[in-house]
Structures are given as C-alpha cells and as structure tokens.
C-alpha cells in the first residue's frame, strides 16, 4: 500500500470514528434526555450516588463533555449545588473510560464488517421511520455506533499496512514518555476528543507500532487534553460553569501527575492483573484497564480534599458584570432539555423583575430606579431571544421545539409589562401628580391591581381559573370606577386638571401593564383583561 493510501486510511479512520462518536452521542443524548435529567437530579444526594450517576450516564451517552455540560446546566438551574456537581463530573471521568473497553473488547476483537454494517443499516431505517421520535434518535445512535467501529477497522488496516520497520516514538526513558504524553494531549486538543486519541493509541499498540507503556503515556496526555474542551466552554461562561470546569481540570491534572509518577509500577501491576483476570497480555485490554485504574485512582486521591476544593472554588470566579445572565450559558446548548430549563429560569427571573417594576409603580415609591429595572428587563429579553436563536439550530425533540415560541411570547409580555410600568412610574413622578392621597379611590384601585399581580406570581399557590378570572374582572371594574372618579373630580374642580391628567395616564399605563402580566402568566392568550371603557 502506498504512503498516500496509508495516510488517507488513517485520516479516514479518524474521521469515521469521530463522525460515529458524534452521531452516537447526539442520538443517545436526545433519546435519553428525560432519563438523564431524572438520574442526575435525583441520584446525587451523597458523594457515592453522584459519582455512580455520573459514571452511569456517561457510559450510556458516551460523552463526558455532554455530562459535564448537563451538570453545569443543573447547577445553574439550582437543581444541584457545586459539591454535588463536582462528584457527578468526577463520575463522568470514570464513565468515559468505557470507550476504551468498547474499542479493546469489541472493536479490535470481532469482524467489524459483520457487526458495523447491519448496525448502520438498521439505525438509518429507524432514523427515517422515526423522525422527531425517540426511536429516530436511537436509530441515529445505532448508525453512529456502526460508523465508529468502521473507523476503528480503517485505523487497524492503516496501521497494519505500515512498513514492518516503522514504529512510533516508544522509548521508556522520561524524555520519551513526556513526548508521548504531549502527543496524546495535542491529538486530543486538535480533535477535541480524548476517545479518538485513545483509539489511535490502542490500535497502534495492538498493531505493534507502540509499546504498552507508550500507549499508556498517550492515554495520560489524552486525559489532560480533554479538559481543554471544558476550559474553552467555560470562557465567558457563568461562574458556576467555570467552577465545574475548574474542578474537572484539577481532577484530571492530579490523576495525570500521579499516573505519570507511578507509570512503570502501575503498568506492571496492571499487566499482572490483566493476566490474572483472563484478559491476557494483549495491549488493548491492558491499556483500557490502566486507563480505568488511574482515573479511579484520581477520584480516590481527591476524595478527602473534595470539601476544601468546593470551598476554594466557591470563593472564586465571581461575576464581573452583575447584569449578566445567571442561567443562560452557551455550554448547555448541547443538551436541549437543559437549555429549555435554563430559558425557563431566566424567564422566571425576567418576570419577577417586571412584576417588581409594576409593584413599585403601584406604590409610587420605587425600591429600584425604574429606568435601571427596565434596562435589566430589556437585557434579559435580548439574551432570551439570542439564546433561542442559538438553540433553534440544535437537534431537539418536537416537544422542546414547540416550547421555544411560547417562551419568546411570554418574554415579550414581560417586556411590555415593564415598559408600561415605567410609563406609569414616570407619570406619577411628575410634580403635578402629588402624593397618592391626591387621587380619590386610588387605594381600592391599587388593592385590586395587587390581587391580579399576586395571582400572576409563580411563587403564589395556583389560584385556579375561577379566582384568576375574578381578580382580573374585579380589577377591570376598579379601573373603570377609578377613572370615572378622576374625571368627575376634575370636572367639579376638586382635583387640578394637571393632577387628574397625570393619574389618568398612570392608571391607563398600569392597566396595560397588568394586562400584559396576566397574559404572561397563562399558557395562551385566553385569559386577558376584560374590555374596559376607552382610555383617555
């Protein structure tokens, strides 16, 4: 085989492997989205549970990056605290070693053509027959699984075709070991996949091009290289995202340093263990076992330091810009269910800020400067719109896709409510308006408005449709009475016309603000303010 064909085979094998890994991860992630949420949210009460759930879900989804991202999303959503999240990430590090076992025990042991091609065919059939359904996502995962094994087969053939006297740098002195570690790090950095680097090391070792120790050193470098993805994702991200990424880096660096220092002794113990368990002396299973062993060792080493690590990380990465979104982190875009949860939490925060502006306008005593509050609401609305635009380009279930327009609609109602509240606050801040005692009947109007506002808050007990409708109808009547009273007082001369005008504008703006608030608190436009008499 010519040199060009060998290089093409290597490149094609790596490409097929990465394509297959991407499809498999995407399909499993979409198919197991609700289950992933349930496992991570409910199974993290103790260190051991967090560790086990992280390892289990990573082994299922075959992507430690996806699980790290999911964990960041749960921390941002308040479903996990930092201490729980750290153990899920540590568990995902252990679960990521499953890829090495798949390659060693399946990819390099069986007839790939007989295994991979039926998987690709059946997977694509499921995908075509189940577009938008869970079976379609499972089909994508199966097809990716098949492509992954075809990539392994191409790598194996390319390495086998190399000249007999060709070997990769395989010295066992420390300079050579450091070069091998660096090679694993750089390959992972370039390909953004530690699984691909590990697969290359396994197939090269199985083909006799790399010693077991050389392949083990490459695995160490790949383990450190995988942290680059988390670091890149954490740049400009929320403080919680950066803390979780930092924990991921610390664990991998500690595990790599210890594994490197103990490399020859650990390998001898691993080889003896592999032979004792019946795995034999084949390079690939030995390296897979070594990869698992030093990741588990890393977890054991940080176990007594975890509380101090959590305290250390919580004291760092505080936000520089306080107006920055607390929940919308681009890292969660990879898991649509978590991205939707982040959007809903941002929407709740936006609604609370909007309702605060309405409450302040009703009291005519702003606790927050209305202009600053309006800027905050507008910034949240812009962030939600931009995030939805990014999320809409991701693969997601039909249910998640249908939720996006609803979130955007509610955000627009919150923004309109805040804008009308600002208009009311400005009208009441005019000197001509005077104190709220100047307007006859305002206390009754305000009380009716506050009942509508209380019913719109998600923190309140669900009022049911009838009480909500009654509160809205009561406010509409109170508005009509208040406006009629203002006009009558102005006509009699009991109220200066300038004062009457200020209060009429404020009442009109408050009515519109509460109308928008009521629309935002219901899933459809069904519940809105009853038609009142025309505003002046």
């Amino acid at each position: 085989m010519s040199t060009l064909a060998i290089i093409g085979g290597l490149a094609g094998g790596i490409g097929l492997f990465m394509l297959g890994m991407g499809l498999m991860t995407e399909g499993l992630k979409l198919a197991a989205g609700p289950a992933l949420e349930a496992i991570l949210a409910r199974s993290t009460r103790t260190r051991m549970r967090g560790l086990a759930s992280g390892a289990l879900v990573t082994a299922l989804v075959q992507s430690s990056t996806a699980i790290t991202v999911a964990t960041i999303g749960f921390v941002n959503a308040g479903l996990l605290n930092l201490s729980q999240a750290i153990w899920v990430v540590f568990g995902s590090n252990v679960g990521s070693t499953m890829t090495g076992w798949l390659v060693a025990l399946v990819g390099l042991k069986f007839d790939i053509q007989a295994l991979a091609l039926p998987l690709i065919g059946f997977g694509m059939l499921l995908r075509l027959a189940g577009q938008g359904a869970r079976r379609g996502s499972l089909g994508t995962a199966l097809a990716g699984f098949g492509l992954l094994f075809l990539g392994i087969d191409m790598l194996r053939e390319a390495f086998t075709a190399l000249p007999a006297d060709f070997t990769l740098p395989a010295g066992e002195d420390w300079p050579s070991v450091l070069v091998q570690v660096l090679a694993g790090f750089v390959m992972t950095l370039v390909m953004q996949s530690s699984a691909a680097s590990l697969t290359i090391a396994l197939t090269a070792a199985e083909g006799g091009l790399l010693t077991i120790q050389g392949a083990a050193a490459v695995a160490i470098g790949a383990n450190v290289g995988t942290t680059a993805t988390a670091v890149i994702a954490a740049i400009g991200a929320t403080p919680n995202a950066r803390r979780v990424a930092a924990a991921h880096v610390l664990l991998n660096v500690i595990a790599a340093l210890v594994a490197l220092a103990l490399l020859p002794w650990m390998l001898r113990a691993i080889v003896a263990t592999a032979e004792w368990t019946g795995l034999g002396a084949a390079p690939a299973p030995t390296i897979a076992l070594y990869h698992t062993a030093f990741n588990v060792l890393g977890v054991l080493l940080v176990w007594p330091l975890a509380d101090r690590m959590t305290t250390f990380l919580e004291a760092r990465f505080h936000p520089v810009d306080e107006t920055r979104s607390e929940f919308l982190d681009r890292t969660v875009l990879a898991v649509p269910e978590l991205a939707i949860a982040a959007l809903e939490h941002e929407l709740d925060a936006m609604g609370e800020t909007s309702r605060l502006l309405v409450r302040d306008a009703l009291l005519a005593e702003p606790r927050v400067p209305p202009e600053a509050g309006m800027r905050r609401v507008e910034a949240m609305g812009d962030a939600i719109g931009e995030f939805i635009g990014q999320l809409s380009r991701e693969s997601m279930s039909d249910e998640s896709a249908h939720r996006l327009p609803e979130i955007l609609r509610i955000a627009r109602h919150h923004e309109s409510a805040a804008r009308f509240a600002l208009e009311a606050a400005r009208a009441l801040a005019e000197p001509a308006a005077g104190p709220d005692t100047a307007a006859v009947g305002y206390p009754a109007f305000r009380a009716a408005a506050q009942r509508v506002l209380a019913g719109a808050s998600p923190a309140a007990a669900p009022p049911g449709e009838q009480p909500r409708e009654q509160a809205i109808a009561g406010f509409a009547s109170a508005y009509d009475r208040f406006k009629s009273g203002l006009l009558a007082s102005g006509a009699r001369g009991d109220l200066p016309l300038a004062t009457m005008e200020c209060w009429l504008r404020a009442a009109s703006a408050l009515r519109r603000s509460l109308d928008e608030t009521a629309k935002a608190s219901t899933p459809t436009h069904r519940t809105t303010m009853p038609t009142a008499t025309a505003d002046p």
Side-chain angles (χ1 to χ4, degrees):
M1 188 181 289
S2 67
T3 303
L4 188 60
I6 292 172
I7 293 173
L10 288 171
I14 294 170
L16 272 177
F17 179 87
M18 294 181 68
L19 176 61
M21 179 66 75
L23 287 173
M24 184 173 66
T25 299
E26 179 186 346
L28 290 172
K29 190 172 60 183
L30 290 173
L36 181 149
E37 284 192 60
I39 292 172
L40 290 183
R42 298 175 189 172
S43 303
T44 55
R45 294 177 183 174
T46 65
R47 287 184 178 188
M48 189 56 72
R49 284 188 178 185
L51 193 68
S53 62
L56 173 62
V57 177
T58 303
L60 290 173
V61 177
Q62 283 296 296
S63 174
S64 60
T65 301
I67 302 310
T68 301
V69 165
T71 305
I72 290 169
F74 277 116
V75 174
N76 283 338
L79 298 175
L80 296 179
N81 59 39
L82 182 61
S83 178
Q84 293 170 317
I86 284 175
W87 286 105
V88 174
V89 170
F90 289 175
S92 75
N93 230 48
V94 175
S96 67
T97 64
M98 180 59 68
T99 303
W101 288 107
L102 281 174
V103 174
L105 299 180
V106 181
L108 297 175
K109 297 295 181 184
F110 292 92
D111 181 358
I112 297 296
Q113 300 282 340
L115 177 68
L117 295 180
L119 280 176
I120 295 172
F122 184 62
M124 289 308 298
L125 184 64
L126 275 179
R127 175 170 174 159
L128 292 173
Q131 290 284 356
R134 181 170 293 185
R135 65 176 180 275
S137 300
L138 287 173
T140 300
L142 284 175
F145 204 57
L147 285 173
L148 181 147
F149 284 125
L150 278 183
I152 293 172
D153 196 43
M154 286 191 69
L155 282 173
R156 182 170 59 181
E157 289 182 1
F159 280 128
T160 304
L162 287 170
D165 59 346
F166 179 86
T167 57
L168 294 171
E172 296 190 354
D173 56 314
W174 283 112
S176 298
V177 170
L178 291 176
V179 168
Q180 293 154 3
V181 170
L182 183 62
F185 178 83
V186 172
M187 283 195 297
T188 302
L189 196 64
V190 171
M191 295 185 289
Q192 289 293 290
S193 172
S194 61
S197 302
L198 185 62
T199 300
I200 291 172
L202 289 170
T203 50
E206 197 72 18
L209 303 175
L210 197 59
T211 64
I212 290 180
Q213 180 168 306
V218 172
I220 294 173
N223 234 48
V224 178
T226 195
T227 63
T229 304
V231 170
I232 292 169
I235 295 174
T238 61
N240 283 327
R242 285 179 280 168
R243 289 172 187 137
V244 174
H248 185 47
V249 172
L250 285 172
L251 171 67
N252 280 276
V253 169
I254 290 171
L257 289 175
V258 173
L260 195 57
L262 301 176
L263 179 59
W265 300 279
M266 273 190 73
L267 267 181
R268 280 198 287 270
I270 292 297
V271 169
T273 303
E275 292 178 351
W276 178 71
T277 56
L279 290 173
T286 302
I287 297 162
L289 182 57
Y290 174 77
H291 187 219
T292 301
F294 84 73
N295 274 285
V296 172
L297 179 61
V299 172
L300 293 176
L301 288 171
V302 298
W303 188 284
L305 305 174
D307 291 339
R308 292 183 182 180
M309 183 187 294
T310 302
T311 303
F312 172 81
L313 292 173
E314 284 177 339
R316 277 142 185 88
F317 305 114
H318 293 293
V320 177
D321 182 6
E322 295 295 336
T323 64
R324 197 179 185 285
S325 171
E326 183 182 355
F327 304 105
L328 300 184
D329 191 319
R330 67 177 183 274
T331 56
V332 300
L333 288 170
V335 186
E337 288 80 7
L338 294 176
I340 295 290
L343 277 168
E344 289 176 340
H345 278 80
E346 186 74 5
L347 194 65
D348 288 344
M350 183 183 184
E352 182 57 36
T353 305
S354 175
R355 288 188 295 273
L356 178 62
L357 288 176
V358 180
R359 282 195 295 269
D360 285 355
L362 284 169
L363 294 171
E365 295 176 357
R367 289 165 283 180
V368 176
E371 287 78 9
M374 186 68 228
R375 285 194 298 271
R376 175 66 175 149
V377 169
E378 287 177 338
M380 287 174 150
D382 291 342
I384 287 173
E386 181 181 350
F387 196 80
I388 286 177
Q390 295 171 341
L391 180 58
S392 64
R393 294 191 286 270
E394 300 286 332
S395 299
M396 68 184 79
S397 65
D398 291 343
E399 182 182 351
S400 296
H402 292 154
R403 181 68 182 131
L404 296 182
E406 178 72 1
I407 290 173
L408 200 57
R409 177 190 73 80
I410 294 172
R412 294 297 169 257
H413 285 312
H414 285 322
E415 193 168 337
S416 296
R419 189 171 291 110
F420 285 125
L422 175 62
E423 185 181 321
R426 285 173 173 170
L428 296 179
E430 293 179 17
D436 59 7
T437 53
V440 177
Y442 183 66
F445 170 84
R446 179 171 58 198
Q450 287 172 332
R451 283 193 290 274
V452 174
L453 202 57
S457 174
E465 286 304 315
Q466 189 173 0
R468 185 192 299 271
E469 296 287 354
Q470 288 173 351
I472 291 172
F475 174 73
S477 299
Y479 169 75
D480 284 341
R481 290 193 300 273
F482 180 51
K483 188 174 71 171
S484 298
L486 287 172
L487 291 170
S489 295
R492 291 194 304 269
D494 297 338
L495 193 66
L497 290 179
T499 301
M500 180 195 74
E501 176 64 25
C502 287
W503 280 98
L504 283 173
R505 282 190 286 115
S508 174
L510 285 169
R511 185 190 69 81
R512 291 173 177 168
S513 181
L514 285 161
D515 187 19
E516 295 293 331
T517 300
K519 288 176 181 177
S521 67
T522 55
T524 66
H525 289 284
R526 181 167 45 82
T527 301
T528 58
M529 292 292 178
T531 304
T533 55
D535 292 323

